[in-house]
Amino acid sequence: MRASHFLSSVLLAGSLVGCSLVPEPELPPPPSPYTDLPGRTSTLSGVVYDPEAFFFLLANWPSDPDHPEDDPPPALYDGPFLMYSSVPEARISVLAPDDSVGGSTTGSPTGSWQLSGVPSSDTVAYSARATPPEGEVVLGAAYMDPEAPPPPVTAPSATYYPTTTLRPIVPHSTLCQLQVATMVGDAGALKAIANTLTDMGTPTTVADLMNPAKTAGVALLWVYEPSFELDIFTIPAEGIAAETNMGQLFAIDWAPPGDGGPGQSPMGYMAIPAPGAMSPLGYYAVVLPPKSEVTEPLQVTFNDTMSSDEGDFPRPWVIPPVVEEIREGVSFGRVFSFPGGEPPPEDETAEPVPFPESNSQCYPEAPGGMRRRG
């Protein structure tokens, strides 16, 4: 009996030792109440249009002599100039300064576009780049009703090129509205520049201006008067001089097609070598050197040569310079002036008028607290 008890004890001890050698099963960690949220993103929306065609339509649109007050203003909203200069179904991409793509989308037949999922930032400035659709581009095609009379004016047909818009977009808001993407072709200033260079002894085509072996491209910069609302009213500014830190500078003029001087383009634009010339439209072009020869950003400064206390915006105007890293190809900048002079005395009896809310336009801050517009 003692032997039986001893044997039972040994077996029990052995079983206990065996159990101690079996690892305990690992239990899953308790569910965490916290999780990483997805990165904050913004939705961008706007229009893509040809600004040279916009002015061509504005300059040629017939006026009603009996009701001139009914003439459409040169404003970017749903009016005839924007309608018939809109680029249908263009590809819109937004590029960060390092050329990384923040997102892409295809515009509508009416030229409107919306891009969701762009990483939000208070510091990263994106640039919109518009690429033409495959096939022939017909401006304002969605508004051409075959059963209705045609519009009184249409812009000449053109071959269009991918165009970078030199208006920085900082997507610090959930929704960035009224983003303007631009696209230009060979019927406007580009053709005028090629014609002028040819007349100066350097045979040049628009294709040559887009050839990265010959040039980093062309920067087109159009200075507008101060806008009555945000950057909606695009009124060409006269009396504006320009200087550039690189490349060949041209002042761009315009006259009805056939009425201009040598080198006039199909849309009526002419290129005059500068310095020494001033654009009556405030429109300038810089033919850039090859990118391999560029060691600094492009910088173009503007100076208002006029002085006046008349009108809504005293002169000389304050015009921010354009400072941009070189991106090969064609680029277009809408440069808006700011009123000069001393601010008017405050009327203590007037009702306060809040400054227009512009957060949804996603302007970057400029020196002096101004919002950059372009």
Side-chain angles (χ1 to χ4, degrees):
M1 183 174 179
R2 293 177 63 184
S4 174
H5 177 73
F6 175 78
L7 180 60
S8 299
S9 300
V10 170
L11 293 175
L12 178 61
S15 66
L16 292 174
V17 171
C19 290
S20 67
L21 295 178
V22 176
E24 295 183 3
E26 294 186 5
L27 299 177
S32 172
Y34 304 104
T35 184
D36 291 335
L37 295 175
R40 193 166 58 97
T41 61
S42 301
T43 296
L44 280 58
S45 63
V47 297
V48 55
Y49 81 117
D50 179 348
E52 295 183 332
F54 183 97
F55 176 79
F56 175 87
L57 296 170
L58 170 67
N60 288 282
W61 202 263
S63 177
D64 185 348
D66 296 328
H67 300 281
E69 69 279 0
D70 293 337
D71 293 348
L76 278 182
Y77 56 73
D78 192 17
F81 309 140
L82 180 62
M83 289 166 54
Y84 297 117
S85 64
S86 63
V87 183
E89 299 178 337
R91 187 70 179 169
I92 307 296
S93 303
V94 289
L95 307 177
D98 61 358
D99 283 339
S100 61
V101 179
S104 298
T105 189
T106 299
S108 74
T110 62
S112 62
W113 57 273
Q114 180 168 299
L115 174 59
S116 301
V118 178
S120 298
S121 174
D122 292 328
T123 57
V124 177
Y126 290 92
S127 298
R129 184 168 179 82
T131 303
E134 295 183 2
E136 181 184 6
V137 174
V138 179
L139 298 179
Y143 301 100
M144 304 290 186
D145 186 349
E147 299 181 359
V153 181
T154 56
S157 60
T159 298
Y160 281 85
Y161 299 92
T163 304
T164 301
T165 299
L166 300 181
R167 183 281 203 192
I169 304 169
V170 178
H172 50 66
S173 299
T174 303
L175 183 63
C176 296
Q177 298 174 305
L178 300 179
Q179 303 307 310
V180 175
T182 53
M183 186 181 292
V184 295
D186 62 0
L190 295 178
K191 182 64 174 176
I193 294 167
N195 291 344
T196 297
L197 289 173
T198 299
D199 292 342
M200 293 170 63
T202 304
T204 305
T205 64
V206 175
D208 292 329
L209 298 176
M210 300 295 105
N211 185 347
K214 298 181 178 182
T215 169
V218 180
L220 301 170
L221 305 170
W222 203 324
V223 181
Y224 298 108
E225 295 186 8
S227 180
F228 292 97
E229 183 178 356
L230 299 174
D231 54 5
I232 302 298
F233 288 83
T234 55
I235 303 173
E238 63 175 336
I240 307 299
E243 293 184 0
T244 179
N245 65 333
M246 67 177 68
Q248 292 177 273
L249 180 67
F250 291 88
I252 306 300
D253 199 353
W254 185 88
D259 292 348
Q264 188 179 34
S265 72
M267 209 180 288
Y269 292 92
M270 297 164 286
I272 306 166
M278 187 181 302
S279 169
L281 304 175
Y283 190 16
Y284 289 90
V286 182
V287 178
L288 300 166
K291 196 170 183 180
S292 59
E293 300 177 9
V294 175
T295 59
E296 58 184 344
L298 169 69
Q299 179 167 317
V300 183
T301 56
F302 304 97
N303 177 45
D304 185 3
T305 63
M306 302 180 69
S307 178
S308 174
D309 293 329
E310 300 178 358
D312 296 309
F313 306 113
R315 302 184 74 161
W317 295 324
V318 178
I319 308 171
V322 171
V323 181
E324 294 288 342
E325 295 293 337
I326 300 299
R327 282 196 170 105
E328 293 180 336
V330 60
S331 54
F332 189 95
R334 303 166 64 237
V335 184
F336 279 83
S337 309
F338 293 87
E342 295 293 330
E346 184 177 354
D347 184 356
E348 297 180 356
T349 63
E351 291 290 331
V353 178
F355 191 79
E357 172 58 47
S358 60
N359 283 341
S360 62
Q361 276 70 63
C362 296
Y363 295 122
E365 289 289 351
M370 297 186 300
R371 293 281 191 179
R372 282 189 60 182
R373 303 177 180 180

